[in-house]
Amino acid sequence: MEHDKKRSHSSLDEEPTFQWWSTDKKANYKWETLEHNGVSFPPEYIPHGIKMNYDGNPVDLTPEQEEVATFFAKHLETDHYLKPQFKSNFFEGFLKVLNPKGSSTPHLIKKFELCDFTPIAYYLKQQSEKHRNRTKEEKEAIKEERIKIQEKYGWAIVDGKREKIANYAIEPPGLFLGRGSHPKAGMIKSRIYPEDITLNLGEHAPIPPSPIPGHNWRGVVHNHEVFWLATWVDSIQRSHKYILISPNSSIRGRSDRQKFETARLLKNHIDRIRDEVNRDLVNINMSERQQATAVWMIDRLALRIGNEKCDSDTFGCTSLHVKHVELIPPNVVKIDFLGKDSMRYFNEIPVDQQIYDNLALFIQGKTSSDQVFDLITCVTLQRYLRSKMERLNATVFRIFNASTAL
């Protein structure tokens, strides 16, 4: 695949119209052939040599330690610095960088309150001012370099058609900020290297070379049933991150259309499905009863399905803990938890008596950190949903209910 052919800058976003809805795909296939050039990595850290102070004295730091100190100095005058959890999480990680495994003597930095990052913060302000005052020629050179990177990494060839990639650049290391009052805010995001990345390519596509000398890709797969081009595990959330084709692409358009088509078809089955779920609410098989109760909550309360990670700080229906659910007699349920992207879900609502009784049964004798639905997972629940209707999932329920409400 060659992306270095001459193109005008405006042509980068001007592609001929492609009627993706008129093409057919094998069952579950998102694409037939796929080529791309991998991902763009942020530049390696260049030490600036500015020392932070500890207990009033300048401190020598290694380049890695200086980089982490610089991460924190960037936020001294932001609202993040005002959050105790942000500072606590940062300093816990900073101490690990200051005292790597195998070090013979502990680093002299031990207490956060004795640390002074303002010399680095002042240096960053100066650099920011220089950045704002760049010459026209410097700005043009930077723009040209950005366009060159976009041309190389910002496109994929999908089924012979050139498609735009939504997020071709790997995030640089830094401090995790999160949304809202995220409990992991301030933790250090590790630098991602090629050996962390798994690429998804067509079987006959050339494997792009690693853009960082001395490093190799973690692996290459040929998964036709997904949209992602590259994946790695996030060092903070321990969840998978993805490089994806643009939402405006043909393959994403097909998938979105299929979800809405499935939601439209659900109208013809919803009464039957709800009747079957209601029967399972009193099933003597406790896992079936839990699945039916979870589906009722997904359908009526618009909950996301959740994931299998019990140590996650965000939750969905199948991963709810007892502490997230409060039962108020005779039939009111109060649900309060952090959902996707740490956005709070709060709802206090009367429910059917059987739902109330089931939840009371599920949480009986459990501790606050135990799972409400301990006999099911997101995988088994997805299987339960698909047994009711092909391609049915929690997202389809939300689309259907939102469309009905409108």
Side-chain angles (χ1 to χ4, degrees), residues 140-260:
E140 281 297 321
I142 292 172
K143 182 179 178 181
E144 287 293 330
E145 181 62 23
R146 178 173 55 79
I147 290 173
K148 189 193 308 183
I149 292 172
Q150 180 189 7
E151 180 66 13
K152 181 174 182 179
Y153 295 106
W155 301 89
I157 304 298
V158 184
D159 297 340
K161 181 180 182 295
R162 195 168 183 259
E163 299 273 19
K164 197 169 186 178
I165 299 174
N167 54 333
Y168 55 85
I170 298 294
E171 284 187 11
L175 299 187
F176 179 70
L177 303 181
R179 295 187 184 182
S181 301
H182 201 290
K184 292 187 176 181
M187 293 181 68
I188 300 168
K189 292 191 299 181
S190 302
R191 183 176 291 275
I192 301 300
Y193 286 103
E195 52 264 34
D196 301 308
I197 305 285
T198 297
L199 299 181
N200 192 23
L201 291 159
E203 286 82 352
H204 303 293
I207 299 174
S210 164
I212 304 179
H215 294 263
N216 297 307
W217 303 114
R218 179 182 180 87
V220 176
V221 298
H222 314 292
N223 190 342
H224 292 257
E225 298 183 3
V226 295
F227 294 124
W228 57 263
L229 311 180
T231 185
W232 66 97
V233 175
D234 174 70
S235 63
I236 303 296
Q237 302 284 65
R238 304 310 301 168
S239 59
H240 280 276
K241 295 276 193 174
Y242 299 97
I243 298 295
L244 298 166
I245 293 290
S246 168
N248 297 326
S249 68
S250 60
I251 60 172
R252 297 287 292 274
R254 290 189 200 103
S255 177
D256 289 343
R257 184 171 186 256
Q258 186 177 78
K259 281 187 289 189
F260 279 92

Side-chain angles (χ1 to χ4, degrees), residues 113-128:
E113 56 270 22
L114 297 180
C115 293
D116 176 13
F117 298 90
T118 53
I120 298 177
Y122 178 70
Y123 165 79
L124 294 176
K125 276 187 178 181
Q126 289 179 314
Q127 294 303 111
S128 180

Side-chain angles (χ1 to χ4, degrees), residues 69-337:
T70 304
F71 294 159
F72 188 74
K74 292 178 182 178
H75 299 285
L76 289 189
E77 296 183 2
T78 69
D79 290 340
H80 300 290
Y81 182 77
L82 303 177
K83 300 175 183 178
Q85 188 71 40
F86 181 81
K87 290 183 280 192
S88 174
N89 284 337
F90 157 73
F91 195 63
E92 181 180 344
F94 190 37
L95 286 176
K96 291 178 181 178
V97 176
L98 294 171
N99 299 281
K101 290 181 181 179
S103 56
S104 55
T105 56
H107 200 278
L108 64 90
I109 294 178
K110 295 179 175 63
K111 295 181 179 180
F112 176 79
E113 56 270 22
L114 297 180
C115 293
D116 176 13
F117 298 90
T118 53
I120 298 177
Y122 178 70
Y123 165 79
L124 294 176
K125 276 187 178 181
Q126 289 179 314
Q127 294 303 111
S128 180
E129 188 64 27
K130 286 182 181 178
H131 184 78
R132 282 195 296 270
N133 294 328
R134 290 169 299 169
T135 64
K136 181 180 178 181
E137 291 73 22
E138 289 172 329
K139 291 178 181 178
E140 281 297 321
I142 292 172
K143 182 179 178 181
E144 287 293 330
E145 181 62 23
R146 178 173 55 79
I147 290 173
K148 189 193 308 183
I149 292 172
Q150 180 189 7
E151 180 66 13
K152 181 174 182 179
Y153 295 106
W155 301 89
I157 304 298
V158 184
D159 297 340
K161 181 180 182 295
R162 195 168 183 259
E163 299 273 19
K164 197 169 186 178
I165 299 174
N167 54 333
Y168 55 85
I170 298 294
E171 284 187 11
L175 299 187
F176 179 70
L177 303 181
R179 295 187 184 182
S181 301
H182 201 290
K184 292 187 176 181
M187 293 181 68
I188 300 168
K189 292 191 299 181
S190 302
R191 183 176 291 275
I192 301 300
Y193 286 103
E195 52 264 34
D196 301 308
I197 305 285
T198 297
L199 299 181
N200 192 23
L201 291 159
E203 286 82 352
H204 303 293
I207 299 174
S210 164
I212 304 179
H215 294 263
N216 297 307
W217 303 114
R218 179 182 180 87
V220 176
V221 298
H222 314 292
N223 190 342
H224 292 257
E225 298 183 3
V226 295
F227 294 124
W228 57 263
L229 311 180
T231 185
W232 66 97
V233 175
D234 174 70
S235 63
I236 303 296
Q237 302 284 65
R238 304 310 301 168
S239 59
H240 280 276
K241 295 276 193 174
Y242 299 97
I243 298 295
L244 298 166
I245 293 290
S246 168
N248 297 326
S249 68
S250 60
I251 60 172
R252 297 287 292 274
R254 290 189 200 103
S255 177
D256 289 343
R257 184 171 186 256
Q258 186 177 78
K259 281 187 289 189
F260 279 92
E261 280 297 306
T262 305
R264 185 179 63 82
L265 293 173
L266 179 57
K267 180 181 179 180
N268 301 325
H269 302 274
I270 189 65
D271 291 337
R272 171 186 61 79
I273 292 171
R274 284 173 174 166
D275 286 343
E276 291 177 3
V277 168
N278 286 337
R279 285 197 293 272
D280 278 341
L281 290 175
V282 293
N283 198 311
I284 59 173
N285 183 316
M286 232 7 80
S287 64
E288 290 291 312
R289 188 180 292 199
Q290 284 196 7
Q291 288 187 136
T293 305
V295 169
W296 190 97
M297 295 173 70
I298 287 169
D299 179 16
R300 308 303 172 89
L301 305 181
L303 296 183
R304 292 182 181 274
I305 197 167
N307 59 48
E308 294 182 283
K309 290 175 57 186
C310 296
D311 60 343
S312 176
D313 294 302
T314 60
F315 301 86
C317 189
T318 59
S319 55
L320 286 175
H321 288 182
V322 172
K323 63 187 175 185
H324 300 136
V325 179
E326 181 182 349
L327 302 179
I328 305 171
N331 69 328
V332 174
V333 176
K334 182 160 69 173
I335 304 174
D336 190 358
F337 64 94

Side-chain angles (χ1 to χ4, degrees), residues 24 51 54 117 141 148 192 199 206 219 228 341 361-362 398:
D24 294 322
K51 298 181 180 181
Y54 184 73
F117 298 90
K148 189 193 308 183
I192 301 300
L199 299 181
W228 57 263
D341 294 327
L361 178 63
F362 300 157
R398 287 200 304 276

